[in-house]
Amino acid sequence: MEKLFDNTEVAFALKSDKELRRAQFLFKMISNPSMVKIGTSLTHFAIKTKLPVKGLIRSTVFDHFCGGENEDDCLKVVDKMYVKGGVSSVLDYSVEGKETEEQFDAAERMTIKTIYFAKERQAIPFAVFKPTGVGRFDLYVKVGENQTLSAEEEKEWNRVIQRFDNICRIAFENDVKLLIDAEHSWMQDAADDLVLDMMRKYNKNKVIVYNTAQTYRWDRLDYLKKIHQIAIEEGFHIGMKVVRGAYMEIERERASEKGYPSPICATKSQTDATFNNSVTYMLENIHNKMALFAGTHNEESTYMIMNIMQQNGISPDDDRVWFGQLYGMSDNISYNLAKNGYNVAKYLPFGPVFDVMPYLIRRAEENTSVAGQTNRELDLIEKEIKRRKSSR
């Protein structure tokens, strides 16, 4: 297949020279693990001591990786990506680490608000939420481990179920596809069971509700095949966002501390194989009650998906197959895919600057830890800077 992803003119067409220089600076910083550690510590200190750093954060890392502080702020970015680049958006309310019922209710309301927002805009085909956005982490753990809940915890869990159902029902009623993110393995069983119930209820005619499979877990292909079989037997559709994963170091550390086998693949090549085998299985069964959202920044996996689609007669614009990348990353994949007619959506995080900092710090740390990712971004940015200079 023709190599598409080296075309930097297409990749960065929406970026001004100033924005390109900012991206170059950010990825140079992120490529240095020591700088990421120092920057993280200084940011935590500045927020804790209430130093006036919001403007600095907003004009650098926040504006590169986020769409704005609220959904209306994001519209300028959404429209620009869609009209000029053919890339859709997934508005992701990226406020993390909340613990109270009031905060969970607020996250539910915000997710529902983004569903209504998406209904009115072709450029926003998906809504999204995290299970721990609408329920307490430790409660998912207890439910997943089949521990006995107190009377109060039973009521609390019923409220979590109700929030899930409210969000999924409103997505169904408004015909907006809904992605539900995956989180840490030791709370994921309870979330998986909840999402499966939502699929049973709202995916009878087509996919509205999507779960997420993090394929750095060696058990996810078997899980995918298992729920697909359930869907065939019970007569509903399966939607799955397939990604490599976001919590690898934490997973391994906890498994070591608690003395259980790591749920994470032993090597990067095994993770790649699990991802590739999972998306291959879905594409080969796409006509049998399946829909895929392939969340990947890996060029080889993306080419592989394109090849399998071609071999199986799946049109690039088939609504059952979407590609996804994070805003601020892998523009060479997103915009070149869109230019060639594929369905592409960028995850576009938003939220108050300081509330979104845990998300931004994780982005920096993940870029540092993924071999070659940051250098690839830098190489492409610098190639485009040189191209623009020479073309003048």
Side-chain angles (χ1 to χ4, degrees), residues 23 32 60 77 139 141 192 215 226 243 248 298 313 318 321 353 364:
N32 186 325
T60 53
V77 177
L139 187 61
V141 176
D192 285 343
T215 58
K226 174 186 166 187
V243 299
M248 187 178 297
N298 185 291
D318 190 313
V321 182
V353 173

Side-chain angles (χ1 to χ4, degrees), residues 35-315:
M35 289 301 297
V36 171
K37 280 187 178 180
I38 292 167
T40 298
S41 298
L42 288 175
T43 301
H44 283 311
F45 175 77
I47 293 171
K48 189 175 181 180
T49 56
K50 295 183 168 55
L51 291 176
V53 294
K54 179 179 175 180
L56 176 63
I57 294 170
R58 176 75 201 247
S59 64
T60 53
V61 64
F62 183 91
D63 279 353
H64 183 82
F65 289 112
C66 299
E69 293 198 61
N70 56 56
E71 67 279 11
D72 290 313
D73 280 352
C74 294
L75 274 183
K76 185 177 178 182
V77 177
V78 169
D79 290 342
K80 184 178 180 181
M81 287 199 297
Y82 190 71
V83 173
K84 295 185 178 180
V87 172
S88 300
S89 297
V90 182
L91 293 189
D92 181 13
Y93 184 57
S94 295
V95 174
E96 302 179 359
K98 304 304 183 185
E99 285 288 327
T100 70
E101 292 296 296
E102 291 78 13
Q103 290 166 334
F104 298 143
D105 287 340
E108 176 194 358
R109 289 194 297 271
M110 179 56 74
T111 304
I112 289 169
K113 190 174 182 182
T114 62
I115 291 170
Y116 288 128
F117 210 67
K119 180 189 177 183
E120 303 301 324
R121 292 164 179 84
Q122 192 174 4
I124 309 175
F126 293 87
V128 64
F129 75 97
K130 289 179 175 61
T132 56
V134 297
R136 191 164 51 86
F137 186 99
D138 289 344
L139 187 61
Y140 284 101
V141 176
K142 289 191 78 170
V143 171
E145 293 177 350
N146 294 312
Q147 296 181 36
T148 301
L149 302 184
S150 68
E152 190 54 47
E153 286 172 333
E154 288 280 4
K155 292 178 183 176
E156 186 184 358
W157 183 242
N158 285 334
R159 289 194 293 271
V160 175
I161 295 170
Q162 190 60 57
R163 291 187 192 106
F164 261 76
D165 193 68
N166 287 343
I167 292 168
C168 293
R169 174 180 51 79
I170 289 170
F172 171 78
E173 290 171 352
N174 289 278
D175 199 25
V176 172
K177 292 184 282 290
L178 179 68
L179 302 166
I180 302 176
D181 284 344
E183 301 187 65
H184 302 85
S185 64
W186 62 97
M187 60 74 60
Q188 191 60 41
D189 285 350
D192 285 343
D193 288 345
L194 258 182
V195 179
L196 186 59
D197 283 343
M198 297 299 111
M199 288 186 189
R200 284 186 172 105
K201 195 168 182 179
Y202 297 111
N203 286 3
K204 288 180 180 175
N205 298 315
K206 66 175 184 178
V207 173
I208 293 291
V209 178
Y210 290 67
N211 201 1
T212 299
Q214 299 192 99
T215 58
Y216 65 7
R217 288 182 57 176
W218 48 261
D219 66 344
R220 290 296 87 179
L221 178 56
D222 287 340
Y223 164 76
L224 175 59
K225 290 178 178 178
K226 174 186 166 187
I227 64 167
H228 184 216
Q229 190 57 42
I230 292 170
I232 292 169
E233 290 170 1
E234 297 184 18
F236 62 95
H237 295 250
I238 290 293
M240 190 66 66
K241 181 177 75 165
V242 181
V243 299
R244 278 171 169 80
Y247 306 98
M248 187 178 297
E249 297 308 319
I250 297 171
E251 292 280 0
R252 284 182 174 148
E253 286 170 11
R254 186 179 191 271
S256 177
E257 288 171 6
K258 300 283 187 180
Y260 60 83
S262 173
I264 304 303
C265 294
T267 65
K268 171 70 162 58
S269 62
Q270 288 177 1
T271 296
D272 290 341
T274 306
F275 178 92
N276 290 342
N277 290 337
S278 297
V279 296
T280 298
Y281 176 82
M282 292 197 69
L283 290 167
E284 289 177 347
N285 288 278
I286 204 74
H287 303 298
N288 192 10
K289 300 185 180 299
M290 284 281 210
L292 168 67
F293 186 102
T296 181
H297 294 203
N298 185 291
E299 294 178 14
E300 293 309 312
S301 290
T302 306
Y303 284 128
M304 185 202 76
I305 293 168
M306 295 162 70
N307 276 322
I308 295 171
M309 290 176 70
Q310 191 174 56
Q311 292 162 11
N312 286 274
I314 304 168
S315 171

Side-chain angles (χ1 to χ4, degrees), residues 17-35:
D17 289 350
K18 181 180 177 181
E19 289 168 332
L20 210 54
R21 290 289 184 186
R22 181 184 66 188
Q24 181 188 34
F25 168 77
L26 283 173
F27 281 107
K28 277 185 176 177
M29 295 288 286
I30 290 170
S31 68
N32 186 325
S34 297
M35 289 301 297

Side-chain angles (χ1 to χ4, degrees), residues 316-373:
D317 64 353
D318 190 313
D319 195 48
R320 293 169 297 183
V321 182
W322 281 78
F323 294 86
Q325 290 80 42
L326 298 169
Y327 182 68
M329 294 171 61
S330 298
D331 288 345
N332 65 311
I333 296 177
S334 305
Y335 290 101
N336 281 298
L337 277 174
K339 187 175 177 63
N340 284 272
Y342 291 89
N343 298 318
V344 188
K346 286 279 202 186
Y347 255 60
L348 188 60
F350 72 96
V353 173
F354 292 144
D355 286 346
V356 175
M357 283 313 300
Y359 168 85
L360 294 173
I361 289 167
R362 196 167 71 248
R363 282 287 78 78
E365 290 172 344
E366 284 171 11
N367 271 276
T368 302
S369 65
V370 176
Q373 176 70 44

